[in-house]
Amino acid sequence: MAELSDVKPLQMDPMDGFPKHYDDEIASTQDMFVPTSALSRSSSYPDPTSAFISPTSGGSPYDFAVPAFSEFTTRESRRGLLDHFCNVLSHLIVFKEDSGNPFRSLVLPMAQKSPPLLNAIYAISSAHLEHRGLQVEERALDLHSKALQGLANLIAHKDEGNRDEVLAVIILLLYYEVVRNGSSTVLSSHLRGALSIMRERRARRSATSTFLERAFRYFDVSSALSFGASPMSGTILAPTTNDLLNIRESSAMSAVDTLFGLVADLWPILHRLASLIEVKRSLEKEELNNPGQDKTNSMRSDFDNNCRNIELSLQQWIPKIPASMVAVETPADDSRLQSVLNNAEAYKQAALIYLYRDILSHPRSSSKVQTPAKQALQACLRVVIFSGPMATLLWPLFTAACEAIEDVDRNVARTVFTHLESRQGMNNIVTGWEVCEEIWRRGDAGETEMVWREVAQQMGREVIFG
């Protein structure tokens, strides 16, 4: 298996191409995220305003009739929302599209006969455009309400045959909460509902059902990390080495998972890591109420062993590409692969931060925390430099940035936050940045040992990763 070092190393100063004087470029949160119709985006992603300029353009992934998306709706504004979903949003939430985008190839066709799913697509597109300060004919909130009403009716029918339709609506409503940085209570409710549907309504395995189940398991762990809770599901669906080796193409990008990038085999470790938070709370309660008891000592021993095992697993983990797939065919693929590799490295380092800070309660100034924080931020910066996908970058970026003490690390975090928000255009990124700034401010004022969730709560904010 190839390691990170086997693929072409970074041949540049990590700060090349970025402002040397950050104070001149990024003065404040307000300046940083001011809405504008002239959006700054990577050239590889379309301008979101194009969805309303030309909803009849031929850029659809299907051979739709003219005007585009007329099979779905006769309303021009809604065709624009569909175009935005297909040609902007769907690109932003996957790592690759060489074998098709599942949101377009699997989810969109179901929407033609599903008003709730269609309304969910409209809602998320409208929310994304509203965050950018663009005027839309129908408010995201109204479209979201229609999608929720339709979902309630679908669930009430208890039809085994609509399982994938129900799950598709819920997954888009989860993304809606991410785009708007909505409510953790609502997101958790959606996730519980989806996991219940997956348990109760059995279906024949298909590409659609597999994709949706894996998407929910991604959200299960990411939401657990957001809320400081254990994952709701018991198992993780992750590709095995054999799955990777059976891929027909020889390109290294073939090893990249559409949803997980190169962290699919890291996800079970993250699942175990996120599960430790509830164990820690139970242990602390037991040690307070029954110190020195056999049960308490046994719980402490099990907890310490689990922490050591997870720490060792994280330290030994590397993003892997089968050796036969190391070759890349084009410079664009090479740059994209470098970006995905660094995304994976950022996840590894952020997981170590979570272990040392949230689980083992090391102080912020500890080298156990500062070393992975610096490495995670540098990896995040390289993701930006290589202009690759940034679909899941917020968690490692935010986790590392909250621990940044030195100006050089904060400048890197500030730069990555700017480019991440510019590329993705989602409100959870803005909220994450605001909470991070407040943590820095309090840290500089002498408040060193803060829990970011408590700071966010005091600010009236929630940070939702996804």
Side-chain angles (χ1 to χ4, degrees):
M1 304 294 284
E3 301 183 10
L4 185 64
S5 57
D6 292 329
V7 187
K8 188 171 65 179
L10 184 67
Q11 300 294 330
M12 64 179 79
D13 181 337
M15 300 306 294
D16 279 352
F18 294 97
K20 301 300 182 183
H21 302 289
Y22 292 92
D23 291 340
D24 296 338
E25 295 290 333
I26 310 166
S28 67
T29 300
Q30 195 172 27
D31 295 330
M32 182 175 168
F33 295 118
V34 61
T36 172
S37 59
L39 303 179
S40 172
R41 308 186 64 80
S42 164
S43 60
S44 61
Y45 293 93
D47 183 336
T49 59
S50 64
F52 286 87
I53 294 172
S54 182
T56 61
S57 66
S60 167
Y62 299 99
D63 292 325
F64 290 110
V66 177
F69 307 108
S70 59
E71 294 92 330
F72 293 85
T73 178
T74 58
R75 294 179 60 171
E76 184 177 356
S77 62
R78 289 189 170 184
R79 293 200 303 270
L81 292 174
L82 283 168
D83 187 81
H84 185 73
F85 177 79
C86 286
N87 294 319
V88 178
L89 260 176
S90 64
H91 296 297
L92 299 177
I93 51 181
V94 296
F95 276 94
K96 66 169 188 175
E97 300 176 284
D98 55 349
S99 56
N101 186 308
F103 290 96
R104 296 201 303 268
S105 63
L106 301 177
V107 174
L108 184 63
M110 283 194 291
Q112 191 170 345
K113 296 181 180 180
S114 172
L117 185 52
L118 201 52
N119 281 323
I121 291 174
Y122 295 150
I124 189 175
S125 292
S126 181
H128 193 243
L129 290 161
E130 285 177 356
H131 174 68
R132 285 304 197 187
L134 300 173
Q135 295 296 319
V136 290
E137 186 174 305
E138 293 178 275
R139 294 191 314 159
L141 200 59
D142 296 333
L143 294 165
H144 179 250
S145 295
K146 292 178 181 179
L148 285 175
Q149 292 168 4
L151 174 62
N153 291 333
L154 286 176
I155 294 175
H157 280 116
K158 298 185 181 299
D159 181 2
E160 295 278 341
N162 70 3
R163 179 182 187 270
D164 286 350
E165 180 186 0
V166 171
L167 293 178
V169 174
I170 297 175
I171 198 69
L172 289 181
L173 293 177
L174 287 173
Y175 277 107
Y176 175 88
E177 295 301 321
V178 170
V179 170
R180 290 183 66 90
N181 199 69
S183 164
S184 61
T185 303
V186 172
L187 191 145
S188 296
S189 177
H190 284 326
L191 193 52
R192 275 193 298 271
L195 294 172
S196 176
I197 292 290
M198 285 189 282
R199 283 191 297 266
E200 296 172 4
R201 302 188 187 183
R202 301 297 178 183
R204 256 188 333 187
R205 304 302 298 170
S206 67
T208 301
S209 63
T210 299
F211 164 71
L212 291 170
E213 289 180 11
R214 296 184 75 245
F216 280 114
R217 280 160 173 76
Y218 166 81
F219 265 105
D220 186 27
V221 173
S222 65
S223 64
L225 295 170
S226 295
F227 310 141
S230 292
M232 297 179 192
S233 63
T235 59
I236 290 294
L237 300 180
T240 65
T241 302
N242 289 334
D243 292 329
L244 296 177
L245 294 175
N246 286 333
I247 298 172
R248 293 179 183 178
E249 297 91 341
S250 60
S251 168
M253 283 302 297
S254 301
V256 176
D257 186 90
T258 302
L259 286 175
F260 292 91
L262 286 171
V263 299
D265 60 340
L266 180 65
W267 220 247
I269 304 175
L270 292 181
H271 188 279
R272 290 162 52 204
L273 175 64
S275 299
L276 282 178
I277 196 73
E278 295 290 355
V279 178
K280 176 186 177 181
R281 289 169 185 153
S282 297
L283 173 61
E284 289 174 341
K285 182 178 180 181
E286 193 69 25
E287 288 181 331
L288 181 63
N289 296 330
N290 302 296
Q293 298 296 313
D294 289 345
K295 179 183 176 181
T296 305
N297 294 338
S298 178
M299 288 177 65
R300 166 57 67 180
S301 178
D302 289 344
F303 176 77
D304 290 344
N305 285 334
N306 284 332
C307 288
R308 280 193 293 268
N309 289 335
I310 291 174
E311 179 183 31
L312 183 61
S313 296
L314 288 172
Q315 290 170 344
Q316 293 179 341
W317 183 86
I318 54 172
K320 301 178 182 69
I321 300 174
S324 61
M325 296 182 179
V326 170
V328 289
E329 297 179 359
T330 68
D333 277 351
D334 183 33
S335 180
R336 194 174 188 85
L337 179 62
Q338 294 290 332
S339 185
V340 176
L341 280 163
N342 279 285
N343 178 286
E345 179 65 18
Y347 261 81
K348 171 182 176 175
Q349 300 301 331
L352 287 167
I353 298 169
Y354 186 91
L355 174 65
Y356 295 134
R357 280 291 272 159
D358 291 63
I359 305 302
L360 297 177
S361 302
H362 283 284
R364 189 183 189 197
S365 58
S366 167
S367 61
K368 287 273 193 180
V369 175
Q370 287 302 306
T371 298
K374 289 175 178 290
Q375 292 177 354
L377 288 172
Q378 288 298 318
C380 289
L381 182 60
R382 288 191 290 270
V383 172
V384 170
I385 289 173
F386 285 110
S387 300
M390 301 183 191
T392 64
L393 195 60
L394 181 59
W395 180 68
L397 171 61
F398 178 81
T399 300
C402 285
E403 309 304 334
I405 296 174
E406 298 177 6
D407 286 344
V408 63
D409 297 324
R410 292 182 178 183
N411 285 339
V412 170
R414 190 177 286 116
T415 297
V416 179
F417 263 111
T418 303
H419 285 264
L420 179 61
E421 202 284 331
S422 177
R423 170 73 71 86
Q424 299 298 111
M426 299 181 184
N427 201 41
N428 64 333
I429 301 167
V430 179
T431 304
W433 169 247
E434 291 172 344
V435 172
C436 184
E437 272 195 318
E438 177 62 16
I439 288 173
W440 291 352
R441 186 191 68 77
R442 294 188 184 193
D444 293 344
E447 191 179 344
T448 56
E449 300 308 315
M450 295 163 285
V451 178
W452 71 257
R453 293 177 192 85
E454 295 176 359
V455 173
Q457 186 177 33
Q458 292 163 10
M459 296 172 64
R461 301 280 195 276
E462 289 183 301
V463 183
I464 296 175
F465 304 123

